[in-house]
Each structure stands twice: as structure tokens, then as C-alpha cells.
Amino acid sequence: MSDNQQNQLWGGRFSESTDAFVQAFTASVGFDRRMYRQDIQGSQAHATMLAEAGVLTGEERDAIIQGLDEIRAEIEAGEFEWSVALEDVHMNIEARLTDKIGITGKKLHTGRSRNDQVATDIRLWLRDEIDLIDGEMERLMTGLLDQAEREAATIMPGFTHLQTAQPVTFGHHLLAWFEMLKRDRERLADCRKRVNRMPLGAAALAGTTYPIIRERTRELLGFDEVCENSLDAVSDRDFAIEFCALAALCVTHLSRISEELVLWTSAQFNFVDLPDRFCTGSSIMPQKKNPDVPELVRGKTGRLNGHLIALLTLMKSQPLAYNKDNQEDKEPLFDAVDTLAGCLRAFADMIPAIEPNREVMREAARRGFATATDLADYLVRKGVAFRDAHEIVGKAVALGIEKKKDLSDMSLAELRQFSDQIDDDVFEVLTLEGSVSARDHIGGTAPDQVRAAVKRGRDALR
């Protein structure tokens, strides 16, 4: 690319060429060329609209559209020569179009600016990526529902403070993960609504004097609305920040899941097994099986938090309208999309393959006096005030610790020394099955409620 060719695109006002380092420093083509499909899509819609508005002839429109189709094929075949001297994806494609079809290629930019062009390309690109991410979310959520249904009656300890609290079912625990992702998917859909607004037609910052038909371009590109203020249209990056925020929160949820999987696959818990294909070994300890996928996803949380802060900081002091600062919006956004999509894909593949160690889970639930609350509730139903029942059970637990016995293993005589309200029927509530089955309401851990929640979850995914 000669200086003269470079300056043909915007250099009429300049008396010297751009410094070579500055040229490379300010170029974005190294990363924004991934939006080539959306750039071509937007340009073809713009050309179609210009022809309908009488700004281009039908022959000029057809030449532009055909030329852009050929350029897309060149890019996808790896035959396109990207030039740093041409700065970005937009100018690279426009220069190649002019090479191919002559002066008509120079007419494509009529009635638009790179400011509204790039804002449109980013939204088109992010909209496409959101749809792909939504598919991975749905796949992961479906896997969780399938696992939850299979394990609806598998008993495990529920924890608070990482201490044994009450018995729950593994299916119920999996549905807690599902609920996290359900909110994330709702946020993703809500974000898409604000992504799907069209800046094209705002031009540099004030609109254009050409008789453009923005509603027609909107229709051609499948946007729901047009951005109604030209200044805001070219400078708004709220949608990118919003995506990074939901991505950070979604991976935070995946990180919490990862932490539990890391704990549960340890020898100390041994609640679940992960297939070998999601793990690695140690270079010196042959017995090791490391849960690398959950660990890495847990680590990705910091990366996505960083991208969110980067974009918030990028925008916090920008005056209207467009500024070169906004070139820095793409790499954090691109990486946030790639990272979230990768984490979801890894989990969507891994979750259905988790194998619970059911007997280990059940035995763990028997330890730690998990049915102590059930005994307190039993006494309340016998007429004992809850605070008194709490104290009675606390004393029974202290005896159990001393004798190394769970409440369900104590004799009736041992239990009755703390309250004469305790009768033979107490052992019905001290069983693990009795405990989980007693919580038979929406949101409870009873197996029937888990199965009903799975059905509601499947209905919500349809």
C-alpha cells in the first residue's frame, strides 16, 4: 500500500504521511477483521437502501453487492491481503472493492461514516455471537435438567459454611445451578434487545444530508429499532458493557459450580467423578487426576471481571460523540465473548458426563447430624416451643458427638432423656429419606418436587 493509496481514503487534508509506528499503533485491522461478515452485510444493506433512495443506480448497487460477495469469498478462502496501512476492516474492504469495480466502489460510503459503520458492525457481530452463546447456555441447562431428573432421589448433605446442614438430593443441588443459569439466560436475552438497535444513518455524529431511508436499512439488517439520536448512536457502548457485565456474572456462577466440583472430586469428598477427558495428570505424581476444566473456568472469572472494568473505565470520561478511545472497546468485548462461549461449551460437554458416587454422598449425609433440624421440628409439632426444641436437640447432638453416634443411631431411651415428648415415631423423621421427602413444596428438596421442577425447567427452555 503506497502513501498515495492510503491517503486516497482520508488523506486529502494532510501534507505528510502517517509515521510508520503511529500507523501500526493506531491500526485495528489485526483484531477487527473478525467482523468482516457483518461489515459486508451492513454495506450491502446500505447500498440497497441508497439505490432505493435514488442515490445509487441499480447497476451501481448490483456491482457493489456482487463485489462484496466476491470479497467475502476471498476472505474465507484465505486469499485476501489485509493491510495495516488501511487501518481497519472497513477501509480494507472498501479499498479492495474499489480495486475490483472502480469508481463505483468509492460511492458506497455515501451517507455514512466509519463512526456509524463500526457501531453497526459491532452490534451485528455481537447479536450473532449472543445467539450462539444462547445455544450453548440452553445445551448446558438441558444437561443439568437431565442429570437432576436422574438424581432426583440421590441423597447428599447440604451445606452452609461448608458444614453439614441438612440432607438434600443431588438433583435438587443441580437445579440450584440451573436457576443461576436461567437468570443468566434471561439477562442475555434482555441484553440482546438493546444490542439490536441500528446506529447506521447517524453518519459521523450529526446525520447526513442525503435522503437515506433508515427504516429500510433497519429492516434489511433485522434490527428491532433505529438509534434515535445521532450523537448517542455513534458513541454508545452501553451494550458492550452490559454484555461484559452479564458475562462476568455468568462465569461467576460457573466459578461457584467449579469450586464445588473441585471439592467434590477430591479424595476427601469423593462425591463425583469427572471423565478423564476433562482432567489432566501430574508430571511427577502418577496417582493424580486434576479437575483442570473446572479450575480453569474458575480462573476465567478474573479475566471477565477485568474486561468489564476495562470497558467501564474506557467510557467513563468520554465526551460526545465518537473518540478514538472507542477502538479499545473491541478486544475486551471479543475476548469476553470467546471466553464465555468457551466456558459454556466446556461445561455443556462435561456436566452430562458427571458420575455421582451415590453411596459416598449418602454416607456423608449420615454424618454431621444432618437431621437435627428434623428432630427440632418433630418436637415443635408435639407442642414444644421452637427455642426449647433447639436446646433439646443441641444437647442430643452433644451426646452423639461424645458417643460417636448419629441421631438416627441412638436408642429411644437415649433420646428420651432430653424430652419425654419423643416417642417411637421419631425414627421416621430421623431417616434421610424422611427428611428430604418432608420438604414437599415448590422449591423443596423432596424427589417429587425435584421432578416437577425439572418439568418446569424443560417447559421454560422450549
Side-chain angles (χ1 to χ4, degrees):
M1 175 61 58
S2 69
D3 293 341
N4 184 52
Q5 285 175 303
Q6 175 192 350
N7 289 348
Q8 285 178 2
L9 294 170
W10 53 257
R13 177 250 185 270
F14 289 77
S15 59
E16 63 178 359
S17 298
T18 306
D19 178 87
F21 170 75
V22 171
Q23 186 179 86
F25 182 70
T26 59
S28 60
V29 67
F31 50 84
D32 68 12
R33 65 190 189 187
R34 71 186 297 172
M35 299 190 299
Y36 75 88
R37 290 188 188 89
Q38 290 77 22
D39 192 73
I40 289 171
Q41 180 185 5
S43 291
Q44 290 180 328
H46 184 65
T48 299
M49 180 276 295
L50 288 178
E52 293 180 11
V55 177
L56 295 178
T57 66
E59 291 77 11
E60 290 171 329
R61 174 202 60 208
D62 293 345
I64 288 170
I65 290 175
Q66 181 178 340
L68 290 170
D69 282 338
E70 292 172 2
I71 290 169
R72 183 193 295 111
E74 289 176 8
I75 294 171
E76 292 176 351
E79 299 168 355
F80 190 91
E81 294 186 13
W82 297 99
S83 169
V84 172
L86 290 170
E87 299 182 14
D88 54 37
V89 61
H90 324 295
M91 291 172 67
N92 269 266
I93 289 174
E94 183 182 329
R96 178 62 179 141
L97 181 65
T98 301
D99 286 345
K100 292 178 72 68
I101 66 173
I103 193 171
T104 299
K106 296 182 178 182
K107 295 184 178 182
L108 172 60
H109 210 52
T110 305
R112 74 177 184 184
S113 161
R114 277 191 295 173
N115 294 357
D116 63 339
Q117 185 180 1
V118 67
T120 301
D121 287 1
I122 296 172
R123 288 173 182 263
L124 287 170
W125 179 85
L126 184 55
R127 185 181 70 184
D128 291 343
E129 295 298 318
I130 284 174
D131 291 343
L132 294 174
I133 287 170
D134 183 72
E136 290 299 321
M137 275 192 180
E138 182 176 3
R139 194 162 68 90
L140 171 54
M141 294 167 74
T142 299
L144 283 170
L145 291 175
D146 291 344
Q147 275 275 27
E149 187 171 43
R150 284 194 296 271
E151 309 302 330
T154 300
I155 292 174
M156 66 176 292
F159 300 95
T160 62
H161 307 278
L162 206 56
Q163 304 295 312
T164 300
Q166 293 176 315
V168 296
T169 65
F170 185 41
H172 187 63
H173 197 110
L174 292 168
L175 288 178
W177 296 352
F178 175 87
E179 289 296 319
M180 295 178 186
L181 290 161
K182 181 181 175 183
R183 295 191 296 273
D184 291 328
R185 194 174 186 223
E186 289 168 356
R187 276 183 281 268
L188 184 70
D190 203 45
C191 176
R192 192 187 190 281
K193 295 175 186 176
R194 281 174 287 282
V195 169
N196 206 30
R197 295 172 182 170
M198 189 188 75
L200 202 59
L205 78 161
T208 178
T209 59
Y210 294 96
I212 61 173
I213 311 166
R214 293 190 73 200
E215 277 296 319
R216 177 60 175 146
T217 315
R218 178 200 66 75
E219 180 182 75
L220 288 167
L221 292 175
F223 284 106
D224 293 332
E225 305 174 32
V226 297
C227 299
E228 296 206 3
N229 181 280
S230 58
L231 289 166
D232 180 62
V234 297
S235 60
D236 168 38
R237 294 298 183 271
D238 291 4
F239 63 92
I241 294 171
E242 186 175 358
F243 177 85
C244 286
L246 75 85
L249 185 51
C250 182
V251 176
T252 295
H253 289 150
L254 296 182
S255 179
R256 295 183 70 187
I257 297 170
S258 295
E259 175 70 8
E260 293 189 318
L261 289 174
V262 170
L263 288 171
W264 292 354
T265 55
S266 69
Q268 289 68 32
F269 275 80
N270 193 30
F271 282 4
V272 300
D273 288 324
L274 295 180
D276 290 353
R277 62 185 179 275
F278 298 104
C279 303
T280 63
S282 165
S283 62
I284 64 168
M285 294 172 283
Q287 83 281 10
K288 294 292 292 299
K289 179 179 175 180
N290 300 324
D292 275 17
V293 168
E295 287 178 349
L296 187 57
V297 169
R298 185 175 60 184
K300 297 285 188 184
T301 310
R303 185 185 188 115
L304 282 171
N305 289 348
H307 292 328
L308 172 59
I309 296 302
L311 287 182
L312 286 167
T313 305
L314 173 70
M315 298 304 299
K316 79 174 187 67
S317 297
Q318 281 199 41
L320 294 173
Y322 182 83
N323 301 278
K324 187 66 169 177
D325 311 45
N326 281 351
Q327 184 169 298
E328 289 295 301
D329 63 351
K330 296 173 193 63
E331 289 178 288
L333 177 62
F334 291 167
D335 190 70
V337 167
D338 292 344
T339 301
L340 178 60
C343 291
L344 288 168
R345 176 180 175 179
F347 264 54
D349 290 342
M350 179 179 67
I351 290 294
I354 290 174
E355 289 290 339
N357 296 322
R358 298 179 184 89
E359 290 306 314
V360 174
M361 285 182 169
R362 180 183 175 80
E363 180 58 30
R366 289 187 71 253
R367 299 191 303 268
F369 305 95
T371 57
T373 303
D374 297 275
L375 179 55
D377 290 341
Y378 167 87
L379 289 168
V380 169
R381 287 193 295 271
K382 294 278 189 170
V384 179
F386 180 79
R387 285 301 169 202
D388 292 336
H390 189 286
E391 182 177 0
I392 290 167
V393 177
K395 291 177 180 178
V397 167
L399 177 65
I401 293 171
E402 179 186 339
K403 294 194 171 187
K404 295 182 171 56
K405 282 186 176 182
D406 187 71
L407 294 174
S408 60
D409 296 326
M410 290 184 184
S411 67
L412 180 59
E414 287 173 318
L415 292 172
R416 281 183 65 85
Q417 66 182 294
F418 302 108
S419 173
D420 58 10
Q421 297 294 319
I422 298 176
D423 294 317
D424 286 336
D425 59 350
V426 71
F427 295 104
E428 296 174 13
V429 304
L430 293 181
T431 64
L432 297 175
E433 286 77 12
S435 177
V436 296
S437 296
R439 285 146 175 87
D440 191 14
H441 54 76
I442 290 178
T445 191
D448 286 346
Q449 291 295 335
V450 171
R451 296 183 186 100
V454 168
K455 183 180 184 304
R456 290 194 299 273
R458 289 207 173 102
D459 290 342
L461 289 180
R462 291 192 181 118

